[in-house]
Amino acid sequence: MDRISRFKLVEETKKIFKSRFSVDPAHTSSAPGRINIIGEHTDYNLGLAMPVGINRWVCASISHRVDSQIHVFSKNFNKSLQLDLIGNIETTDLWEKYIVGILSVVKQRFNIKFGFNMLLYGNVPIGAGVSSSAALEVAILGSIKELYQLSITTNEFLDICSKVDNDYVGVKSGMLDQYVSLLSDKQGPMLIDFSKSSHKNLKFSLKKENFILINSLVDRKLARSDYNVRVKECREALELINSKLDQSKKIYEIDCEDLNYLDRHSIHYKRLYHVVTENQRVYKLLSAIKEGNINMVGKILSYSHKSLSENYEVSCNEIESIIKVSNYAPGFYGGRIMGGGFGGCTVNLVDSDRLEEFESYVHYHLCSKYSLNVKIERVEFSDGLKSH
Ligand code: GLA
């Protein structure tokens, strides 16, 4: 089930939809999970990031109903949700919050009279830091948009997703995940500038290197983790600098010199130091790729990890063991913790000719030295949201 083509996954979703609801779906949307090559915890700080969609997707098949009922079935969780367009509903499961959140925001903005049947199915690993939640949101909203022929611009689309995360799920996240799940291009990663809400699709390809994910299988539940605390710490740090400067600089205008207004040993200094240098690393990595300097690309990934671990403090013991072992593995150029952190995956750049050696080395040493079982995933780039 893990590795399946987009086409097959969509066909499978349509088939399950038909057997569940006894009609063919009117539309099916598929939205990818993502890797983030560099630029971590920069999105809500209006900085830079270089993500790309991956060949793991969430699909949402949908058809009209004649009444005002909403019937949703999640094949992955084997659970259903029924609600009425009119009225509110209490949700318990996280996946339900996304449906109810999206519906509530859509209802506030558009006049929707009839309900729908929806089937959700996908192969994006859940809780692994590869953005299964954003893929779910983007697929759900994509299918609703098609069904009701809603005219939603890209910015509105992202805005709805962000409102759902912030107000219904309770994670004060930035736009990284939805951005890439919606707009990714399989030709290469995106370079996103969150201060301008703009991006470029980079047309580079690595010739002989692969991005490999090592899933620690430590579930990082963003809403309950310290993610929101990091968001708050960065805002406080900015306020502190501005109060000392007697200015109102935006966070993306802060540079290393401004950091001198903070106590070097404080949490606030460490957090913003990560953000400022991570933005610099995005550009450095871009140049290294353009120059074909793969060793440098690897080094920059590893510097990013060090900063995420020591300054931003979003790593954990299992991830540290993975990084230690990977450092000695054959074909490894560099790697780092990816996504929100506190578990999940590392993203690693590995020589394509040595993938098997790399994988068996990592499995063997993590198991024998640290009693750690991990899941290794080879990923390819994918386009963003598609309607089928
Ligand atoms: C999670 C959030 C994103 C982003 C990353 C860290 O994936 O959903 O908005 O902040 O963490 O870069």
Side-chain angles (χ1 to χ4, degrees), residues 34 36 39-44 173-177 222 227 339-340:
R34 60 109 187 89
N36 188 20
E40 216 66 88
H41 290 275
T42 49
D43 61 345
Y44 54 85
S173 55
M175 294 283 205
L176 173 76
D177 305 341
L222 275 191
Y227 183 94

Side-chain angles (χ1 to χ4, degrees), residues 88-277:
N88 297 320
I89 180 163
E90 286 299 311
T91 49
T92 43
D93 288 358
L94 188 56
W95 72 275
E96 299 177 332
K97 289 193 201 297
Y98 289 101
I99 316 255
V100 171
I102 290 174
L103 259 181
S104 311
V105 183
V106 167
K107 266 178 15 187
Q108 286 158 16
R109 301 184 187 191
F110 300 94
N111 184 14
I112 289 177
K113 294 213 174 79
F114 299 103
F116 57 77
N117 297 317
M118 183 182 279
L119 189 290
L120 298 167
Y121 186 42
N123 64 350
V124 185
I126 295 168
V130 290
S131 200
S132 57
S133 307
L136 179 68
E137 274 172 9
V138 172
I140 295 172
L141 184 55
S143 67
I144 292 178
K145 176 177 182 263
E146 288 295 325
L147 189 75
Y148 296 103
Q149 294 289 294
L150 306 177
S151 76
I152 304 180
T153 63
T154 299
N155 283 343
E156 279 167 342
F157 199 111
L158 294 171
D159 184 56
I160 294 173
C161 292
S162 159
K163 248 190 135 19
V164 172
D165 275 353
N166 291 334
D167 301 349
Y168 292 84
V169 180
V171 185
K172 304 294 173 201
S173 55
M175 294 283 205
L176 173 76
D177 305 341
Q178 296 86 357
Y179 212 116
V180 59
S181 189
L182 184 62
L183 298 169
S184 175
D185 181 336
K186 68 176 174 202
Q187 300 306 317
M190 313 164 80
L191 178 65
I192 310 178
D193 182 343
F194 293 99
S195 72
K196 302 192 183 86
S197 292
S198 67
H199 74 278
K200 271 194 252 171
N201 287 102
L202 306 168
K203 293 284 179 246
F204 71 75
S205 62
L206 296 161
K207 302 274 176 300
K208 226 174 71 41
E209 298 79 22
N210 258 65
F211 286 104
I212 300 289
L213 300 180
I214 305 179
N215 187 347
S216 66
L217 303 176
V218 177
D219 189 358
R220 20 111 284 156
K221 298 204 167 41
L222 275 191
R224 268 169 276 156
S225 74
D226 278 349
Y227 183 94
N228 288 349
V229 177
R230 293 294 175 278
V231 177
K232 187 167 156 271
E233 287 164 347
C234 289
R235 288 192 186 141
E236 287 168 356
L238 176 67
E239 275 170 28
L240 274 170
I241 293 179
N242 273 332
S243 69
K244 302 258 171 68
L245 283 173
D246 200 18
Q247 285 186 30
S248 44
K249 278 198 173 189
K250 304 269 192 262
I251 191 142
Y252 54 86
E253 293 167 332
I254 298 296
D255 55 26
C256 280
E257 216 171 291
D258 296 323
L259 296 182
N260 292 330
Y261 289 98
L262 298 170
D263 171 0
R264 264 184 173 268
H265 304 290
S266 67
I267 291 264
H268 292 122
Y269 179 91
K270 284 163 73 172
R271 305 302 188 240
L272 274 204
Y273 183 78
H274 166 75
V275 175
V276 171
T277 55

Side-chain angles (χ1 to χ4, degrees), residues 308-378:
L308 285 159
S309 170
E310 292 173 11
N311 299 321
Y312 222 69
E313 296 179 285
V314 287
S315 189
C316 63
N317 292 340
E318 292 82 352
I319 292 283
E320 289 309 304
S321 308
I322 292 174
I323 294 286
K324 268 186 212 144
V325 166
S326 306
N327 276 331
Y328 293 99
F332 177 75
Y333 288 104
R336 61 177 194 81
I337 188 168
M338 189 183 71
F342 310 103
C345 284
T346 60
V347 58
N348 308 280
L349 188 63
V350 180
D351 186 333
S352 314
D353 293 338
R354 308 194 72 181
L355 292 182
E356 268 150 38
E357 273 176 88
F358 173 83
E359 290 176 3
S360 41
Y361 182 97
V362 166
H363 271 305
Y364 175 77
H365 287 274
L366 279 174
C367 194
S368 60
K369 277 194 202 143
Y370 299 99
S371 309
L372 193 60
N373 282 312
V374 294
K375 190 155 185 250
I376 300 188
E377 314 238 12
R378 298 183 188 184

